[in-house]
Every structure is written in structure tokens, then in C-alpha cells.
Amino acid sequence: MSAPDAAERFARLRLARAERVGPVTFRQLLERFGRAAAALEALPALARRAGGTGFTPPPAARIEAEMAAGEAVGARLMVIGDPDYPPRLAAVDPPPPVLWTRGDPTLLSRPCVAVVGARIASAGGQRIARGLAAQLGAAGHVVVSGLARGIDGAAHAGALPTGTVAVLGGGVDDVYPPDNAELYEQIVADGCVVSESPMGARAQARDFPRRNRIISGLSRGVVVVEAELRSGSLITARLAAEQGRDVFAVPGSPLDPRSRGPNELLRQGAILCEGIEDIERAFETLRSLGEPPVDNPFGDGAEDVDTALIERVAALLSPTPTPRDELARALNAPVGAVAAALLELSLVGRATLLPGGLASL
């Protein structure tokens, strides 16, 4: 993608805030129409053709208000395509369309390692996270975490002198949890706070998996210090593995429920981490995490599809994710036309677009 000008950056933020436009739909709209401004203009007609009514993009005034709110607190907007958009995050399929940052955004493009774990952490676990984060910082790594209580807070504190990034579920101006307000201010001053949520948004449960995806996406590797088996930290570890990142786990006593998560990760093939030497040894393996090759199913431009094909595509969908190539073969139709039909169905909630060219109900 070429670097967007000011008008296109505004349009990309507006498109990212449109109803039912998530990261997959956002990327496909840009692939199909080339520019966010053209996609915004086309959205109402696309939705009508797929059986929806009354679909309108968010008003420009709402986006202007969000940008003004960001400016008021000294936040900076990044959109996909900006030259300083973090390269590792751009390699995620698909990357977050927009990011708000407070602090030093250049930290996002430096070598990063995530350290995550239990909110109700043991004193020993917090000591390990704090010490490991300090060692990582001294070795030139930026420590990424989620500003949660426990392990996250300890990791941020250990890395404050050398640079740390806090990824939030709510807006970049939403201090959560409130008892980490002082730590938040220290990170704004000496590190970077980042979020893809709108300014002023309060964190909801559904936001944390998206936050975890950014934590892993920014990082070369993810270290889990303490975590129970059903925890957000293990979600971060799973996302890291899917993104091709290294997953490290600090082993613990089988008598402590907080050790079950890391110990299970080790059984699944995670790298044992007893100190920074284990991390640096794994990083000696050459690996490139660049943006994925362009695979635009729409070819050279927007392809109009008729309502009959849209309905035939809809009839083939099920809760099981299906590759669009398979749908195209079943219909004996061009992949570009099927991709266009799926995109339009997603705008009215009749299809869900997934990474890797998959779609489901």
C-alpha cells in the first residue's frame, strides 16, 4: 500500500469505524477499491445489494471529534500504510487498520518482546517478570505488555528505564485498571501506550482478545510467566504461535494453579524460559517477519456482482470456515466475483470474513 495523504488517512479512520468493518473487511475493501474514500462511497450500495437497508458510514463529524480528542491529549494516529506503521504488526494477517499512540511511537518499530501473565500473580512471579523485563531492556529489547495488574504491571515497571509499550483494550486515554494510573503516566512519559479502539472508549471484555493480538503482533516473542489454563495470557500465546512468533514459558510448581498455563505450553512445545539466555538463544535463529505478499482476489479493480450470485454464495456458507477458492469452484465462478459477494454479505451480517481467505456464517 502506498503512503496515504491527509484526506486518505481521515477516510481510513472513518472506514475503520464503520459498522461491521473489521480488519479483514477493511483490508478487502482497500484491495477492491484502492482507496478508503472510494470504499466509503460504495458501502451503502454494496450493503443494499446484499439485502441490507439503511447502511451509512459514520458521519465525518464523529471522526473529526475523535481526532480532536486525540489531539487534546497529545495522542498520535497511525493508519495502515503510514511509513512508520510498526513493520511486525503490518505482517499480521490482517493488521489493525488504525492505532492511537501516546508517548514515543518509535518504540513500536524497535525489537520487542512481550511479557504477560496472571493478574493475581505471586510475589515470586512478579519478581521474575520484573527482573526478566529489566534484562531484556538492557539487551536492547522493548518490553510489551497489557498494563494489567500482576505480571503485566511488574514487566512494565522493570522495563521503564529502557522502554516499554502498554497495549490497551479501551481507548488510549482509558486508564485501566485505575490503580495502574501512576504506571500509565510513567509509560506515557518514558514509553508508549497504544490502542486500536476509539478515543474515549472504555474497555469491554470483547476488546481484550484484540488487544492480545496486538501485543503478540508487535513482538518477536511472547513470554508467559504465570497463567491459569483459562486465561488471556494463553490466548496471547496461541495468537503468537499463529503469527509465527516464538512462545516462551517460565516453568512453575505443579502445586500452584498459576503454573498450569506455562507448564501446559511447555508440553505443547513452547520454549522453556529460565532467563534471558533462553530468549536470546532462540532469537539466534534467522527469521524474517515482513509484510505478507499481496494476494488481491479482486485483481485490478472493483468487480460488480449481481444479486443472484450473492445469494448462491450465501447458500453455500455454514458455521464451518470455508476457503473462497472452494466456494468459487463449487459455483464455477471467478474467485474475484465470489470474494466481492462475500465482502458485500459481510457488510450486512450474512457472512463473517476470516484471515486467510476464509468465510463462514
Side-chain angles (χ1 to χ4, degrees):
M1 296 179 185
S2 59
D5 58 21
E8 177 64 10
R9 294 179 81 251
F10 183 91
R12 290 188 183 190
L13 177 58
R14 190 179 178 198
L15 182 62
R17 301 296 184 234
E19 185 181 4
R20 296 197 183 95
V21 176
V24 178
T25 303
F26 181 94
R27 167 171 272 184
Q28 292 195 16
L29 284 167
L30 282 192
E31 289 173 340
R32 183 172 176 183
F33 293 98
R35 292 177 62 83
L40 284 166
E41 186 177 346
L43 280 179
L46 297 181
R48 281 196 302 273
R49 194 157 54 199
T53 57
F55 188 101
T56 57
R62 186 191 305 170
I63 306 307
E64 291 167 355
E66 181 176 346
M67 296 189 75
E71 184 177 350
V73 298
R76 179 178 175 186
L77 175 67
M78 287 183 177
V79 304
I80 189 69
D82 279 345
D84 55 354
Y85 189 96
R88 277 177 301 277
L89 199 55
V92 172
D93 180 22
V98 301
L99 297 170
W100 280 105
T101 68
R102 292 191 72 192
D104 181 5
T106 65
L107 292 174
L108 304 178
S109 296
R110 285 177 49 190
C112 295
V113 177
V115 179
V116 299
R119 287 175 170 80
I120 305 175
S122 69
Q126 292 182 59
R127 186 179 71 240
I128 290 170
R130 191 179 301 110
L132 184 59
Q135 291 178 328
L136 285 165
H141 300 284
V142 173
V143 172
V144 181
S145 200
L147 199 69
R149 299 180 181 92
I151 296 300
D152 287 21
H156 287 308
L160 269 175
T162 53
T164 185
V165 171
V167 186
L168 306 187
V172 76
D173 53 346
D174 176 40
V175 184
Y176 183 83
D179 48 346
N180 273 347
E182 183 179 351
L183 179 60
Y184 170 92
E185 294 298 340
Q186 290 176 312
I187 296 173
V188 170
D190 299 317
C192 185
V193 178
V194 61
S195 173
E196 66 174 324
S197 296
M199 296 296 304
R202 297 293 174 241
Q204 306 292 325
R206 65 177 181 272
D207 297 319
F208 290 104
R210 294 190 299 116
R211 178 205 66 169
N212 296 345
R213 180 169 165 271
I214 295 176
I215 290 174
S216 58
L218 286 169
S219 306
R220 167 71 191 271
V222 172
V223 184
V224 179
V225 178
E226 289 183 335
E228 297 199 20
L229 287 175
R230 296 176 64 86
S231 69
S233 298
L234 293 198
I235 293 174
T236 307
R238 175 179 58 78
L239 292 168
E242 292 173 355
Q243 294 165 350
R245 275 58 170 168
D246 289 317
V247 177
F248 302 88
V250 176
S253 168
L255 300 178
D256 188 342
R258 290 167 293 202
S259 297
R260 291 177 182 168
N263 291 349
E264 178 61 24
L265 290 174
L266 290 169
R267 278 191 286 270
Q268 295 175 3
I271 302 166
L272 184 141
C273 179
E274 295 179 316
I276 190 173
E277 298 82 5
D278 296 311
I279 297 172
E280 294 195 321
R281 189 181 306 115
F283 285 176
E284 290 173 359
T285 303
L286 293 176
R287 178 181 298 182
S288 174
L289 292 174
E291 290 191 49
V294 176
D295 179 25
N296 187 346
F298 305 106
D300 296 329
E303 181 170 351
D304 289 332
V305 292
D306 58 32
T307 55
L309 179 61
I310 292 173
E311 295 305 322
R312 290 169 63 205
V313 171
L316 290 179
L317 294 176
S318 74
T320 302
T322 305
R324 61 180 170 232
D325 291 355
E326 186 175 318
L327 295 170
R329 280 194 296 271
L331 295 169
N332 194 27
V335 172
V338 171
L342 289 169
L343 180 57
E344 295 175 23
L345 288 166
S346 74
L347 295 173
V348 295
R350 299 178 63 194
T352 299
L353 300 183
L354 303 168
L358 300 173
S360 68
L361 283 177

